[in-house]
């Protein structure tokens, strides 16, 4: 007789962005005339840049010719893409990462959910609070998180590192020693960052206690300040303790195209085993590679024209971020993030609960935000707005919120 994985039953409710999406759809169905503006999930709205479309068209044509047709992609991804990533994202920034330490995938969401598979079930994870829910939920599915307490919204076997206004939304080294540490900078959801020397402390700590850092750098393209590191490998010693996840979703608008990569240095050894070999084994068994057409599109991201066109897209979204930041600040909200990240993290007015404010904003302004509590207990009393909408919608949403006179 078949049995289910009981760990799935422990997951409270549905995935955060599914709940937010459902609430939006229900509202729209009940108010068909309402012009609802969605600034909740971090989904891009600008079309793909011309240089990327050209690369895709060319690759489509290649697939139609016997001499250039491609079947299964190589296990770790095409060399043309891994080479350019190693050079542009790492070596040119002074990071010692080679092409054969890069694993191409269909995006950072699946990598961030899957990477825990190569660690033992008894590993203890530490996460920022608030946190991108995938890190925790994927560990729940794996049976690594213990028992959920509905009142505190926490798991018994997870170490939470509160990121609050008091600590500038930067986690402190935990009191209890973790085995795996999830860090995401620029941060989703708070938009906060750490400096290179702050990140160096994490690398030193992980090396000291034998922990592995899973570093999600999906929002790297939004960094505007000099002292903010673009990669954890800019820190000394990161090759022996850190895995880095990257995405093409936010820097190049690939949310619907799907492409990302994971970096595992060959020096990263746990239990006398290279994590690189384990992930290669896992990748080879469970994955047949991102499509050739998409990997060619990814390569175009690094071309000189690609760099120019994508900088414009990032600037477009960051103009939205500034509009939200300034607009809500001038309306009296306590606002943070939005400088090195496309997310703005805002305190709810009048101590309102996150979901209460979410409902109110949808009802009174027809604006969809993401309730901070959905990212963890320290997110209660906050909401997140994304800069990935159109400029027009962003302006309208901010003006509608201002009119509510909180
Ligand atoms: C978010 O809104 O937090 C992200 O877009 C979700 C994701 O990238 O999977």
């Amino acid at each position: 007789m078949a049995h289910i994985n009981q760990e799935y039953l422990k997951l409270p409710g549905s995935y955060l962005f599914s709940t937010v999406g459902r609430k939006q759809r229900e509202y729209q169905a009940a108010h068909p005339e309402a012009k609802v503006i969605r600034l909740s999930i971090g989904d891009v709205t600008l079309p793909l840049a011309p240089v990327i479309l050209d690369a895709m068209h060319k690759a489509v044509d290649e697939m139609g010719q016997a001499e250039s047709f491609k079947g299964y992609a190589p296990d770790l991804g095409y060399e043309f893409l891994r080479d350019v990533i190693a050079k542009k994202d790492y070596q040119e920034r002074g990071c010692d990462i080679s092409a054969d330490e890069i694993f191409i995938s269909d995006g950072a969401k699946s990598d961030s959910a899957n990477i825990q598979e190569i660690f033992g079930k008894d590993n203890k994870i530490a996460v920022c609070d608030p946190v991108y829910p995938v890190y925790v939920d994927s560990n729940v599915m794996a049976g690594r998180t213990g028992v959920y307490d509905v009142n505190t919204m926490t798991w018994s076997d997870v170490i939470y590192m509160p990121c609050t206004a008091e600590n500038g939304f930067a986690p402190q080294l935990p009191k209890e020693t973790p085995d795996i540490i999830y860090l995401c900078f620029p941060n989703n959801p708070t938009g906060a960052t750490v400096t290179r020397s702050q990140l160096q402390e994490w690398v030193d700590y992980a090396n000291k206690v034998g922990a592995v850092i899973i570093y999600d750098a999906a929002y790297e393209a939004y960094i505007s300040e000099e002292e903010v590191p673009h990669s954890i490998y800019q820190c000394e010693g990161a090759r022996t303790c850190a895995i880095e996840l990257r995405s093409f979703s936010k820097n190049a608008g690939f949310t619907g195209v799907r492409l990302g990569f994971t970096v595992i240095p060959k020096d990263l050894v746990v239990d006398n085993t290279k994590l690189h070999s384990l992930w290669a084994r896992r990748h080879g068994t469970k994955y047949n590679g991102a499509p050739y057409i998409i990997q060619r599109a990814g390569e175009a991201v690094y071309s000189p024209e690609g760099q120019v066109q994508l900088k414009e897209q990032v600037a477009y979204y960051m103009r939205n971020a500034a509009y939200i930041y300034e607009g809500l600040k001038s309306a009296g909200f306590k606002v943070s993030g939005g400088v090195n990240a496309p997310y703005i993290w805002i305190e709810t007015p009048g101590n309102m609960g996150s979901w209460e404010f979410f409902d109110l904003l949808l009802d009174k302004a027809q604006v969809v935000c993401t309730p901070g509590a959905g990212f963890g207990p320290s997110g209660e009393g906050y909401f997140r707005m994304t800069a990935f909408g159109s400029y027009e919608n962003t302006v309208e949403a901010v003006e509608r919120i201002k009119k509510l006179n909180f």
Side-chain angles (χ1 to χ4, degrees):
M1 192 160 63
H3 297 286
I4 58 159
N5 175 354
Q6 294 284 329
E7 308 297 347
Y8 274 64
L9 301 183
K10 295 183 184 167
L11 289 163
S14 51
Y15 181 56
L16 171 62
F17 293 105
S18 313
T19 309
V20 168
R22 178 181 50 77
K23 280 179 168 262
Q24 178 187 340
R25 284 191 302 279
E26 284 169 2
Y27 182 86
Q28 189 75 76
H31 305 84
E33 73 301 338
K35 187 190 169 226
V36 176
I37 300 179
R38 184 174 79 143
L39 296 180
S40 47
I41 191 165
D43 194 3
V44 293
T45 49
L46 288 174
L48 293 173
V51 68
I52 290 162
L53 284 183
D54 286 349
M56 288 171 91
H57 285 148
K58 197 163 157 262
V60 167
D61 288 342
E62 283 181 68
M63 293 297 269
Q65 303 293 326
E67 54 283 5
S68 49
F69 171 78
K70 301 278 187 298
Y72 292 127
D75 271 5
L76 270 60
Y78 284 100
E79 255 172 47
F80 61 76
L81 180 57
R82 291 157 62 219
D83 284 346
V84 74
I85 291 172
K87 182 161 175 276
K88 296 280 180 196
D89 280 333
Y90 294 104
Q91 292 154 9
E92 286 186 5
R93 288 201 184 278
C95 305
D96 175 18
I97 293 295
S98 60
D100 62 357
E101 294 174 317
I102 293 165
F103 297 77
I104 306 298
S105 72
D106 66 349
K109 181 178 186 178
S110 35
D111 281 354
S112 67
N114 292 329
I115 194 73
Q116 48 75 27
E117 278 185 30
I118 60 172
F119 295 94
K121 195 171 162 181
D122 57 350
N123 281 239
K124 193 146 201 180
I125 66 162
V127 294
C128 292
D129 168 29
V131 68
Y132 180 46
V134 173
Y135 313 151
V136 176
D137 285 3
S138 56
N139 278 284
V140 174
M141 292 168 178
R144 207 176 274 121
T145 55
V147 179
Y148 189 67
D149 180 336
V150 243
N151 296 318
T152 58
M153 300 196 301
T154 56
W155 293 90
S156 58
D157 290 349
V158 172
I159 300 169
Y160 290 88
M161 305 182 291
C163 298
T164 60
E166 288 70 44
N167 59 24
F169 303 103
Q172 314 292 294
L173 297 177
K175 290 193 185 75
E176 188 185 346
T177 308
D179 303 302
I180 303 169
I181 303 164
Y182 286 86
L183 294 178
C184 170
F185 294 113
N187 187 259
N188 178 14
T190 66
T193 46
V194 287
T195 62
R196 186 165 160 173
S197 58
Q198 282 174 305
L199 189 56
Q200 184 67 55
E201 280 178 36
W202 282 95
V203 169
D204 294 343
Y205 171 76
N207 276 322
K208 193 173 103 200
V209 302
V212 172
I213 298 176
I214 297 172
Y215 191 73
D216 184 346
Y219 299 93
E220 169 276 330
Y222 291 84
I223 293 172
S224 64
E225 292 177 326
E226 195 58 35
E227 66 275 19
V228 178
H230 288 252
S231 163
I232 196 164
Y233 303 114
Q234 287 175 267
C235 296
E236 235 167 89
R239 283 186 58 84
T240 53
C241 68
I243 292 173
E244 183 162 291
L245 313 174
R246 290 278 191 108
S247 165
F248 286 78
S249 289
K250 320 290 168 161
N251 64 333
F254 279 31
T255 52
V257 174
R258 308 310 306 153
L259 192 67
F261 61 90
T262 287
V263 182
I264 309 190
K266 291 188 176 165
D267 300 349
L268 183 43
V269 174
V270 174
D271 287 341
N272 296 317
T273 305
K274 283 187 194 300
L275 292 188
H276 184 279
S277 313
L278 288 191
W279 189 242
R281 184 70 175 86
R282 189 257 170 217
H283 222 55
T285 306
K286 293 198 173 184
Y287 189 58
N288 258 337
Y292 173 72
I293 298 161
I294 307 305
Q295 295 200 42
R296 280 292 182 202
E299 182 190 26
V301 166
Y302 296 91
S303 66
E305 314 88 277
Q307 292 293 290
V308 172
Q309 291 173 13
L310 296 174
K311 261 206 183 96
E312 279 169 19
Q313 291 200 344
V314 167
Y316 176 92
Y317 293 132
M318 288 313 273
R319 182 167 69 134
N320 292 349
Y323 197 91
I324 298 170
Y325 187 102
E326 294 304 332
L328 295 191
K329 194 170 163 208
S330 72
F333 284 87
K334 283 199 184 130
V335 186
S336 60
V339 175
N340 294 291
Y343 294 126
I344 298 89
W345 188 242
I346 310 145
E347 223 175 279
T348 57
N351 285 325
M352 228 182 277
S354 296
W355 282 103
E356 188 193 349
F357 184 76
F358 169 92
D359 287 334
L360 185 138
L361 204 60
L362 183 55
D363 190 41
K364 299 273 185 271
Q366 290 78 50
V367 172
V368 191
C369 65
T370 307
F375 297 101
S378 295
E380 182 56 284
Y382 285 87
F383 64 104
R384 190 194 77 176
M385 289 182 75
T386 161
F388 286 122
S390 70
Y391 182 66
E392 294 69 29
N393 276 348
T394 302
V395 170
E396 189 171 336
V398 170
E399 296 313 313
R400 285 186 197 172
I401 297 173
K402 278 169 141 179
K403 279 207 195 97
L404 295 179
N405 286 322
F406 286 109

